[in-house]
Amino acid sequence: MSEPVVTSARAPSLWHNRDFMILWSGETISQLGSSMSFFIFPIIGYSLTGSTTQAALALTAFALGSILFRLQAGALIDRTNRKHVMIVANLAGVGLYGSLVVALAADRLTIVHLILVALLTGIAGSFFGPAEQAAIKTVVPARQLPTAFSQNQARQHVAMLVGPPLAGVLYSVSRSIPFLVDTVTYGVSALAITRLRAPLTAPERTTTGPSKMRHEIAEGLRFLMSRGFFRATVLFATIVNFGANALFLVLTLKLLRAGVHPAAIGTIDTIGAVAGLIGAVMAPSLIKRVPTGLVAIGTALLIVVACIPMAFTNNVVIVGLLLAVALIGNPAGNAAVSSYLVAVTPDRLQGRVSSALGFTASAFQPLGPVVGGVLLAIFGGQAAMLITAGIISISVVALLASAEVRHLPTPDKWDVSTAAA
């Protein structure tokens, strides 16, 4: 029998949900620090090597680390206390970024050290993310999941908006200060998580061992792929993440070749961050009123509609406005998919299913910049932009072709009987 998400009783505002606010505020502070570090990574890398190729290696290492052990992370999260996983991941960040501060202070930082920190940070994040997502289901009522994930989207865009310019100012004072701030934010997040009251233990104790872990990982993948909505979402996300990473590299280099100043190119990211923040504010109301499947499809179509015209202009304002169109629906799409995933997934599978979605959606993402660079070298800026925009356009077919996506209703009508079972 279908079991919809209950909406009859009005739950207290999430602002009054103590445990959620601890999770949200702690990670908001941490993401602000991380956005500063990610902005500084290539700058530090270039100052160490004088090579643009080597300067990008730290961000590539982070992307690789994010997927390297992601499936194993999901299995571990479903075996152990999720609160402990989040604390350890944050403490790892304290140690990693603290090592950069010490190395810079002693003038002993090397590119290998920087790349290693980025790689290990990505690995730590692959444990923290699914653990936090599983924790949200414990501390937030089902009917408020879309709002909770919308607020998570908002914090990402706030970090994107504030972090890079703040990092630039602090870097001008001392190269180590942005990393020092990030070290502190990881510590603040770890301390905040220790104050959680909700029990975040794994729902069932399983035996350990590599053979058993393989079965557990496979169970999470099977659950994800057993639903048509998630099969279509995985295919869409895999293609769009790959295509978007290629497109934005081509866009940046295309504008640089056209003589656009790097500072002007940076305003494009600012416009996009503002649009994303506005979209995050609008997301809860949109998700409540529009069928979830249509939210996902609409978000994808906005990206396609915005990306194709970018090939025909070098005007920073026009590109920024097009990026705003692409991103304004993104928070609602991400929040809708994330909250539906959490709502229908049994608690014992939360870590594995979340990790499986993250792994499959990001598996080819690190290749995007490489392919974008090759296309740019062979075909030139405009043609490379159109090719990458075409790749992104193909991703929408996965959503449009899925009856489960087209017909998925609003959250008050979601079938969560699988979770109840």
Side-chain angles (χ1 to χ4, degrees), residues 22-31 34 62 65-66 69-70 72-74 76-77 81-93 120-136 152 155-156 185-194 196 200 350-351 354-355:
I22 286 174
L23 273 174
W24 185 84
S25 58
E27 184 57 11
T28 298
I29 293 170
S30 181
Q31 285 194 0
S34 295
F62 175 81
S66 297
F69 296 106
R70 198 174 189 95
Q72 292 87 338
L76 177 66
I77 289 162
N81 189 303
R82 289 151 180 178
K83 178 178 176 180
H84 295 164
V85 172
M86 290 188 287
I87 292 172
V88 170
N90 274 315
L91 291 178
L120 295 177
T121 299
I123 293 173
S126 72
F127 283 82
F128 182 93
E132 185 202 23
Q133 189 158 307
I136 288 175
N152 282 1
R155 76 188 182 194
Q156 293 178 18
T185 62
Y186 271 109
V188 170
S189 182
L191 182 62
I193 292 168
T194 65
L196 293 173
L200 298 178
Q350 284 288 331
S354 173
S355 294

Side-chain angles (χ1 to χ4, degrees), residues 374-400:
V374 171
L375 292 174
L376 183 64
I378 296 175
F379 300 106
Q382 186 176 91
M385 285 286 294
L386 288 173
I387 293 171
T388 52
I391 293 171
I392 293 173
S393 301
I394 293 172
S395 68
V396 184
V397 176
L399 300 180
L400 293 173

Side-chain angles (χ1 to χ4, degrees), residues 11-60:
S13 167
L14 284 178
W15 297 108
H16 300 292
N17 183 324
R18 178 184 180 277
D19 279 349
F20 174 74
M21 288 310 301
I22 286 174
L23 273 174
W24 185 84
S25 58
E27 184 57 11
T28 298
I29 293 170
S30 181
Q31 285 194 0
L32 175 61
S34 295
S35 70
M36 294 170 61
S37 291
F38 295 157
F39 178 78
I40 295 299
F41 269 144
I43 297 175
I44 290 282
Y46 184 74
S47 71
L48 292 172
T49 65
S51 166
T52 55
T53 302
Q54 292 186 55
L57 288 178
L59 293 180
T60 302

Side-chain angles (χ1 to χ4, degrees), residues 1-7 142-143 409-417:
M1 180 177 177
S2 172
E3 181 184 338
V5 174
V6 180
T7 57
R143 59 187 171 277
T410 49
D412 58 313
K413 299 176 183 176
W414 285 349
D415 178 5
V416 296
S417 56

Side-chain angles (χ1 to χ4, degrees), residues 58-299:
L59 293 180
T60 302
F62 175 81
L64 179 62
S66 297
I67 62 174
L68 200 58
F69 296 106
R70 198 174 189 95
L71 294 176
Q72 292 87 338
L76 177 66
I77 289 162
D78 288 337
R79 289 179 175 187
T80 189
N81 189 303
R82 289 151 180 178
K83 178 178 176 180
H84 295 164
V85 172
M86 290 188 287
I87 292 172
V88 170
N90 274 315
L91 291 178
V94 172
L96 290 168
Y97 285 99
S99 74
L100 292 179
V101 175
V102 172
L104 282 167
D107 199 22
R108 301 293 295 272
L109 182 64
T110 66
I111 188 65
V112 173
H113 184 173
L114 190 71
I115 292 171
L116 185 61
V117 166
L119 176 70
L120 295 177
T121 299
I123 293 173
S126 72
F127 283 82
F128 182 93
E132 185 202 23
Q133 189 158 307
I136 288 175
K137 184 176 184 180
T138 301
V139 303
V140 174
R143 59 187 171 277
Q144 290 185 312
L145 286 174
T147 302
F149 282 103
S150 296
Q151 288 186 206
N152 282 1
Q153 289 290 308
R155 76 188 182 194
Q156 293 178 18
H157 290 286
V158 168
M160 289 169 56
L161 184 63
V162 177
L166 180 58
V169 172
L170 296 178
Y171 181 81
S172 66
V173 177
S174 171
R175 295 192 303 168
S176 64
I177 292 181
F179 293 140
L180 176 61
V181 172
D182 201 6
T183 302
V184 173
T185 62
Y186 271 109
V188 170
S189 182
L191 182 62
I193 292 168
T194 65
R195 310 302 298 169
L196 293 173
R197 292 174 180 168
L200 298 178
T201 54
E204 63 180 25
R205 184 71 60 180
T206 59
T207 57
T208 59
S211 177
K212 181 66 176 178
M213 180 171 281
R214 285 196 294 271
H215 290 304
E216 292 171 359
I217 291 171
E219 186 180 9
L221 287 166
R222 280 197 303 271
F223 180 89
L224 184 69
M225 296 303 175
S226 68
R227 289 176 173 260
F229 179 87
F230 294 126
R231 287 197 300 271
T233 300
V234 164
L235 183 57
F236 162 76
T238 302
I239 297 172
V240 80
N241 285 340
F242 168 78
N245 271 265
L247 182 139
F248 285 112
L249 175 84
V250 172
L251 174 63
T252 300
L253 296 179
K254 173 176 173 283
L255 293 175
L256 285 172
R257 282 182 169 185
V260 180
H261 194 278
I265 297 175
T267 62
I268 295 173
D269 291 334
T270 301
I271 295 171
V274 171
L277 185 56
I278 294 171
V281 173
M282 297 166 48
S285 177
L286 187 66
I287 295 170
K288 181 180 179 180
R289 290 172 172 79
V290 180
T292 300
L294 295 185
V295 170
I297 291 171
T299 298

